[in-house]
Every structure is written in C-alpha cells, then in structure tokens.
Amino acid sequence: MKLSLIPRIKHTDSKNFFLLCGPCAIEGEDMALRIAEHVVSITDKLNIPYVFKGSFKKANRSRLDSFTGIGDEKALKILRKVSETFKVPTVTDIHTEQDADMAAEYVDVLQIPAFLARQTDLLVAAAKTRKTVNIKKGQFMSPESMKHAVTKITETGNEQAIITDRGTMFGYQDMIVDFRGVPTMKQFAPVVLDVTHSLQQPNQSSGVTGGRPALIGTMARAGIAAGVDGLFIETHFDPANAKSDGANMLDLSMLEKLLTDLVAIQTTINSL
C-alpha cells in the first residue's frame, strides 16, 4: 500500500504516522466541518498525513432505538463537502456490497468494520472500487489470520490495503490490545491502531457501549512505541452528547496536545 496514492493526502514525506480522525458518525454538516477544520489545522501544523473519518451510517448498534444516521446520501454528501472544503481525503465504513459502490462515489477510503472482516463478498466489493480499503481486525481474529483478509483485497487486483487493530475481546465486556500483533500484521499491510475503539467496554446491560477515554493517551503512546504506521482516533467537541460512541471518544480540545506528544515520540523513535 502506498499512502501517497490516497487522493489529497498531504505530508507523506514527513516520516510521521498517518492519522484517521473524526467523529464516530456524521450527525450534521456543521459538526463535521467544525471538527474537520480543527483537526486539519493541527495536522497541518504538525505535518501529519490526515484522513477525515466519519461513518455515514451505523449499522452495528446494541439497541433498536440507537442512532444510525441522518440518511445515507445526506451524510455522504457531507463527507464530500469536508473533502472539497479542506482538501483532505475521507474514510467511511461500509456494511454491504451495495454500500461499496455507493460510498466510493463520495469518499477516498472504504473501511470494513471489525465484525465484518471475514465477509468475503464485502471485501471483494470494496476492492473492486479501486479505493484504498481499511480492514479492521475482528475482535475474534488472530493477527496471523488478517493475512487472508488482505489477500482477498490484493487478489482482486487492489494493492491498497490497510489493517486496523481495534483490540481483542477479553471476557464479555472488555477489550485488550496485544501489541505482539503489530509486527505480525505489518508483514501483510500497513498497520493502524484504533485507539478509541480499543478502549470500548461493549455488551453493557444498558445496551450502550462504555469506554475508558482517560487511557487514550496511554494507548496512543504505546501504539507509536510499538511501531504502528498510523492511528485511528474518534473525536468530538461534546463527547457526552455525541450520538454514537461518546463514551470512548476524545474531547476535541485535547487532540492538539496529544498529537504534539505523539509526534515527539515518533521523532525520537525515528532517530534510534
């Protein structure tokens, strides 16, 4: 996978990690533009290659009454507006084969949710769009098994594959990241650490996923030290009132300090 082949991506010669960052879900145009503007200003200052992240719909929810989106086309048009306004690439999740072609008209990177990482038809449909495909490692999958997920992309004729680790199930209601998997998966594709989802506490009796956002800095620093190529961080200016995954998102006001620290760590590692 060549990072430079993602349209509009900047700072690819900086030797920094790349960043997939934005809200969990697109809740509206104003919020998406507000978050994007803030993250773009920070990543430009720190020379971090940046892809704006936002889900155009949330198909995997604990409860029937959970927020799923504002409408597919409406959300996808907002993602396109973010890209055109700030000259950055965008990434969104897809859940069905039909989603692949639809989303590919609006975004630059298609993301396969962790629960769907073994769905062959979905991966092949994503690969056939010729977009970069970010495959989240299933919470139930070993690092070694991700070789086969990547092969489904590359054997379709698309070399633009990324693997994102978002933790492995640890009991019923917790996640754990095994950093031994980073060098294993880097044999197959560039590896991203999903910092915020790795700190989820799923399967709560309330039907609302919990999280441990106080550990975001710890997890991100560990990822850079372990040699990941990129980081995935969900952020919002009001996590407590976000419509999805608020319990484990980073407050937008804390992002610049975190990224500044991470760039310093990356610089030190690069000098070793």
Side-chain angles (χ1 to χ4, degrees), residues 121-139:
D121 289 347
L122 178 61
L123 269 68
V124 169
K128 285 182 175 178
T129 67
R130 316 305 299 172
K131 299 289 184 177
T132 298
V133 182
N134 180 28
I135 314 165
K136 287 200 169 183
K137 184 181 81 66
Q139 301 93 323

Side-chain angles (χ1 to χ4, degrees), residues 153-196:
I153 304 299
T154 57
E155 289 193 351
T156 307
N158 185 342
E159 297 295 325
Q160 290 291 105
I162 302 169
I163 299 171
T164 292
D165 193 346
R166 49 90 22 95
T168 300
M169 288 302 298
F170 188 69
Y172 290 113
Q173 295 177 322
D174 207 357
M175 311 289 295
I176 191 166
V177 174
D178 182 353
F179 288 101
R180 297 174 301 175
V182 173
T184 297
M185 292 187 290
K186 286 183 71 166
Q187 298 175 71
F188 318 137
V191 174
V192 172
L193 175 63
D194 183 342
V195 176
T196 44

Side-chain angles (χ1 to χ4, degrees), residues 19-21 123 149 185 265 268:
L19 178 68
L20 284 67
C21 183
L123 269 68
M185 292 187 290
I265 295 170
T268 299

Side-chain angles (χ1 to χ4, degrees), residues 31 52 54 59 73 91 94 110 122 135-136 147 180 182-183 200-201 218 230 239 246 255:
M31 67 82 70
F52 177 84
E73 187 175 14
V91 55
I94 60 171
L110 300 179
L122 178 61
I135 314 165
K136 287 200 169 183
K147 175 181 179 179
R180 297 174 301 175
V182 173
Q200 279 186 335
Q201 294 177 310
T218 300
L255 183 64

Side-chain angles (χ1 to χ4, degrees), residues 104-255:
E105 294 293 320
Y106 297 90
V107 303
D108 304 291
V109 181
L110 300 179
Q111 183 166 284
I112 307 299
F115 283 124
L116 301 177
R118 285 177 53 94
Q119 296 298 105
T120 300
D121 289 347
L122 178 61
L123 269 68
V124 169
K128 285 182 175 178
T129 67
R130 316 305 299 172
K131 299 289 184 177
T132 298
V133 182
N134 180 28
I135 314 165
K136 287 200 169 183
K137 184 181 81 66
Q139 301 93 323
F140 45 85
M141 294 173 69
S142 70
E144 291 79 6
S145 67
M146 288 305 294
K147 175 181 179 179
H148 306 297
V150 171
T151 299
K152 291 175 184 178
I153 304 299
T154 57
E155 289 193 351
T156 307
N158 185 342
E159 297 295 325
Q160 290 291 105
I162 302 169
I163 299 171
T164 292
D165 193 346
R166 49 90 22 95
T168 300
M169 288 302 298
F170 188 69
Y172 290 113
Q173 295 177 322
D174 207 357
M175 311 289 295
I176 191 166
V177 174
D178 182 353
F179 288 101
R180 297 174 301 175
V182 173
T184 297
M185 292 187 290
K186 286 183 71 166
Q187 298 175 71
F188 318 137
V191 174
V192 172
L193 175 63
D194 183 342
V195 176
T196 44
H197 286 103
S198 296
L199 295 168
Q200 279 186 335
Q201 294 177 310
N203 303 319
Q204 300 296 310
S205 58
S206 64
V208 178
T209 298
R212 303 183 70 185
L215 294 176
I216 288 173
T218 300
M219 185 66 71
R221 289 191 293 270
I224 296 298
V228 297
D229 301 288
L231 294 176
F232 180 108
I233 299 174
E234 288 188 340
T235 186
H236 196 287
F237 48 79
D238 186 12
N241 291 300
K243 295 183 182 297
S244 178
D245 278 3
N248 53 271
M249 274 199 280
L250 179 69
D251 191 297
L252 189 62
S253 65
M254 302 174 69
L255 183 64

